[in-house]
Amino acid sequence: MRVWAVANQKGGVGKTTTSIALAGLLAEAGKRVVVVDLDPHGSMTSYFGYDPDALEHSVYDLFLHQGQVPQGLAAQLLLPTSHPNIALLPATTALATLERQAPGQSGLGLVIARSLAQLWQDYDYAIIDSPPILGVLMVNALAASQQLIIPVQTEHLALKGLERMVHTLRMINRSRQQELPFCIVPTLFDRRTQASMSTLRVLRDVYPDTLWQGFVPVDTRLRDASRAGQTPSQFDEKSRGVIAYRALLKHVLTRQLAPQAV
């Protein structure tokens, strides 16, 4: 299994869309994919038609055992999605209470890594949709992943979130045995606006070695796919957004991302 985390310390940059778009493309290539919703808002869970406020069980259950994960629990929590090759580990709003519980428990930072280890033989890829806040959930996502994808909205305020994310990655790398490779992905790009154009230039100047040179454009078909509860490529495989994500997936799969100094 290959484990990718999608994270940024700013909301609204396209993390959930990126996670599901990549999962959908992998699934259509015949890969078995598990998507993990670690955001207490449950955007990924809602995307696939489940109510994060109403689910009785979720990824939250994995954190209730003093940092250990009972054998078989991760598989019991999986839910089906619109694609037969994609399974969901859903979120509930109870995840928001973990930060208050974390000081009293040890080993919480490796819960997701231990959970995915139980699914290792059953899936080819795991894609983790992370919350936009540095805490036990993001630490879990980064600790479990082999590669990090950082979507960045092409507008000036998003650059600050990227700076915070790179700083967080620097801290996480100190505790890992090897540095976590990452790829910065410009999203919500609108070439008609000066903000998008200038932000893309800044990204290319400041992060030349870790930036994907393409971009994901603003595309209403991505929003329509979300409303339909389908992956973007299921909904409209020829949309501009899907074409961009297909190019991104090819980049991630074919380029052996070496660890970068941050």
Side-chain angles (χ1 to χ4, degrees):
M1 179 194 286
R2 299 293 299 170
V3 184
W4 299 347
V6 180
N8 191 327
Q9 285 178 249
K10 184 182 184 304
V13 299
K15 292 189 301 293
T16 299
T17 299
T18 297
S19 300
I20 294 173
L22 293 176
L25 290 168
L26 286 167
E28 288 177 18
K31 304 300 183 182
R32 302 163 299 169
V33 185
V34 56
V35 290
V36 184
D37 191 351
L38 284 188
D39 192 337
H41 291 107
S43 297
M44 177 182 277
T45 300
S46 298
Y47 190 112
F48 286 118
Y50 299 100
D51 183 354
D53 293 316
L55 285 175
E56 186 174 350
H57 298 286
S58 74
V59 69
Y60 175 72
D61 296 31
L62 299 171
F63 290 88
L64 301 179
H65 307 280
Q66 297 296 316
Q68 302 303 312
V69 182
Q71 189 60 39
L73 179 58
Q76 293 171 23
L77 297 173
L78 292 173
L79 296 175
T81 71
S82 59
H83 199 293
N85 283 357
I86 302 176
L88 168 69
L89 267 175
T92 55
T93 50
L95 283 172
T97 67
L98 274 180
E99 299 303 328
R100 295 196 300 271
Q101 301 173 29
Q105 299 188 53
S106 61
L108 284 190
L110 296 175
V111 166
I112 295 302
R114 290 167 179 156
S115 301
L116 292 178
Q118 296 184 3
L119 305 173
W120 209 258
Q121 301 303 318
D122 299 322
Y123 293 91
D124 301 301
Y125 288 87
I127 299 180
I128 305 171
D129 189 16
S130 307
I133 299 172
L134 177 57
V136 67
L137 292 169
M138 182 180 285
V139 167
N140 264 270
L142 298 181
S145 66
Q146 299 154 334
Q147 185 161 290
L148 173 63
I149 296 168
I150 309 176
V152 180
Q153 183 180 359
T154 47
E155 57 96 17
H156 296 298
L157 290 177
L159 293 174
K160 200 64 179 177
L162 176 58
E163 289 178 17
R164 288 194 295 269
M165 190 67 235
V166 172
H167 177 70
T168 295
L169 184 57
R170 186 181 297 120
M171 292 190 301
I172 293 293
N173 279 340
R174 293 193 190 113
S175 62
R176 290 175 59 99
Q177 292 184 342
Q178 62 182 28
E179 293 188 351
L180 179 62
F182 67 99
C183 175
I184 299 168
V185 179
T187 60
L188 297 167
F189 179 79
D190 187 346
R191 66 173 63 253
R192 299 169 299 178
T193 69
Q194 183 60 34
S196 275
M197 296 295 290
S198 61
T199 303
L200 186 59
R201 284 196 295 270
V202 170
L203 289 171
R204 287 174 172 172
D205 288 343
V206 178
Y207 302 98
D209 298 327
T210 53
L211 180 75
W212 173 51
Q213 292 301 307
F215 54 79
V216 179
V218 171
D219 185 354
T220 58
R221 300 300 279 171
L222 296 174
R223 184 172 63 244
D224 294 341
S226 172
R227 190 178 299 115
Q230 296 181 312
T231 70
S233 50
Q234 278 181 304
F235 186 79
D236 186 353
E237 65 177 8
K238 296 182 179 179
S239 69
R240 293 183 303 135
V242 169
I243 291 170
Y245 277 118
R246 189 171 284 117
L248 171 62
L249 179 62
K250 181 179 180 180
H251 169 79
V252 174
L253 290 176
T254 58
R255 181 187 176 202
Q256 294 299 316
L257 291 174
Q260 302 288 339
V262 294

